[in-house]
Amino acid sequence: MKAAKKEIWGWTAATLAVLAVFCTWRPELGRKGQALIVLAGGALTAVLLWVDREIRKKQRKPEQIFLMLFIPISLAMMIALPLFRVPDEARHLGRIWQISIGQWMPDDRNAGVFYQPVGLFEEDSTDMTLWQMAKTAGDSIDMARLEEADVGAATGFYPIHNYFPQALGMALVRLVTKNRLAILYGARFGGWLATLLLMYYAVKKIPAGKYVVIAIALMPMFLQEAVSASADGITNAAAAAFLAMILEMRTQSEPLRKRQYAEMFLLTFCICTFKVFYCPLALLLAAIPTERFAGGRKGKRRALAAVTAAILAIIGLWAFVCLKNYVVPEAAEGNRIVDQAKWMMRHPIQYLAVLGGTILDYFGTFIREMEGQSLSWYNIRLTSLVTSIQILMVALVASRDRRLKETDGIRKSIFLLSAVSVLAICTSLYVWWTPIGDSRILGLQGRYFLPLLPGVLLAAMRERDGARETNDAERTLMGLAMTDIWAVTFVFLSVVA
């Protein structure tokens, strides 16, 4: 107990020192501005100290610890990170706006054109600062004045259910006020709440690696995705929830209940449709033991066939609707894309060499990006010290958490299907973004691997005798949460003005 207290107070002292050092980076804020930032960071630190006290006093469950850590830290990130500073957030918000008013398809098929209120977004928003955003705090939306929306087929091809939580949040806020910022933040809040619920489900249901899932949720890149209006945060959380569902069904002794069949369909549907790269993970359904299904082997076949047929039918219907209502963007590029695909089929060994070379050359970069060293439009770079400490803390949590049994054969399946997903991600980027025959894959980013990280870490963790108490994992999580205050403060100082 005394060691735990010393450790958390050590992190507190380090956090306050880091806040003071970071503030010297922006002398133009003045002493009052710097003092306010330290005060705000100190208040968040005090919240985490209270969380630590509650954990040690009442033996909180992992899912409760997740809520107590994720909610204050992620909301702080939402406040610190201005609108439109997440890649393509403006386009996603434009699509969300259309869905929130009940318009699912474009007005002009040839251009994929939607219409939105004038001034809904800033013309140049990739460098938006909190000060610029504050100056528009009183602006309202005029539904009578419309302009073409820069949405296009890029986000239009995303299934509409990707944006339902955000659209619902936007629509509910619009019932109360026409304030522009309030409506846009309503979309962010809707996506954040959906991510929160899915991650809570994942932490509660997963039989091993609960603290690993929490640690991943506290990584700066995951936090950025979770508080944005894009579907990436929900996709990351849905992948964790799907993995938790599979592992729970493998370890339970009783047959599946009706509620679990519904969960199976919904989460498989999400993992297959949010982003097609992660479809291979759905094959983990085959890892659910036959005896869990009513009717044994035949029952399992019927259940999986029904889920597969329903999902394929929905995907096929949406593809038909999209092709009917959209023209594939940049038709002239279509020929290049076809040529690239033909080149890959003619030179599969050479393409695999390109794939291997890209991963080997940029492996360290992908790890740092996945953790969150480069945030926003990759123009907010956390210091190497913060990034290194956070990667170390996540590894420590993994080393101290409960692991899968060595005899659990699902480990190899997770590795294999994750590798197939990586291949799908790389191949799509090579076809769409990379010049024909190029020696490296362009556009590949570490954040694309976040949905695969929970499964890979769990599969990589080796079972051993005398595993450390979960208290050690909880203490390490508190240290990771403290370093999140460093990251949020750095983001705030980068975009305040």
Side-chain angles (χ1 to χ4, degrees), residues 340-374:
Q340 181 74 302
K342 289 180 178 178
W343 182 90
M344 290 173 58
M345 288 187 285
R346 293 193 192 105
H347 307 88
I349 304 300
Q350 191 170 341
Y351 169 66
L352 290 177
V354 170
L355 174 62
T358 302
I359 293 175
L360 290 175
D361 284 354
Y362 299 104
F363 182 78
T365 301
F366 294 149
I367 296 295
R368 292 190 294 273
E369 287 179 353
M370 184 165 53
E371 182 276 334
Q373 184 177 43
S374 299

Side-chain angles (χ1 to χ4, degrees), residues 81-145:
L81 193 64
L83 288 164
F84 318 124
R85 286 300 295 257
V86 180
D88 296 322
E89 188 174 24
R91 286 176 175 256
H92 289 293
L93 281 166
R95 187 76 178 100
I96 292 164
W97 171 267
Q98 300 302 327
I99 295 172
S100 75
I101 63 175
Q103 184 180 6
W104 294 358
M105 288 296 142
D107 298 289
D108 184 344
R109 177 178 184 270
N110 291 317
V113 170
F114 290 93
Y115 289 92
Q116 65 190 23
V118 173
L120 187 61
F121 308 122
E122 301 289 337
E123 289 185 7
D124 182 12
S125 56
T126 58
D127 292 319
M128 175 69 66
T129 66
L130 290 172
W131 176 246
Q132 289 174 321
M133 203 169 65
K135 291 192 292 186
T136 66
D139 293 355
S140 297
I141 289 176
D142 184 0
M143 296 290 293
R145 298 176 59 223

Side-chain angles (χ1 to χ4, degrees), residues 229 235 262 465:
T235 301
D465 294 331

Side-chain angles (χ1 to χ4, degrees), residues 402-454:
R402 183 183 174 191
R403 299 107 186 268
L404 294 173
K405 294 181 179 180
E406 290 285 358
T407 54
D408 198 331
I410 200 173
R411 291 170 178 270
K412 293 180 181 179
S413 300
I414 291 174
F415 277 131
L416 176 61
L417 295 176
S418 296
V420 174
S421 292
V422 170
L423 179 62
I425 294 169
C426 294
T427 302
S428 64
L429 291 171
Y430 196 69
V431 168
W432 281 92
W433 297 105
T434 307
I436 295 176
D438 202 304
S439 62
R440 292 296 179 265
I441 299 171
L442 303 183
L444 192 58
Q445 301 173 27
R447 64 190 179 96
Y448 297 152
F449 306 126
L450 263 178
L452 308 175
L453 186 58

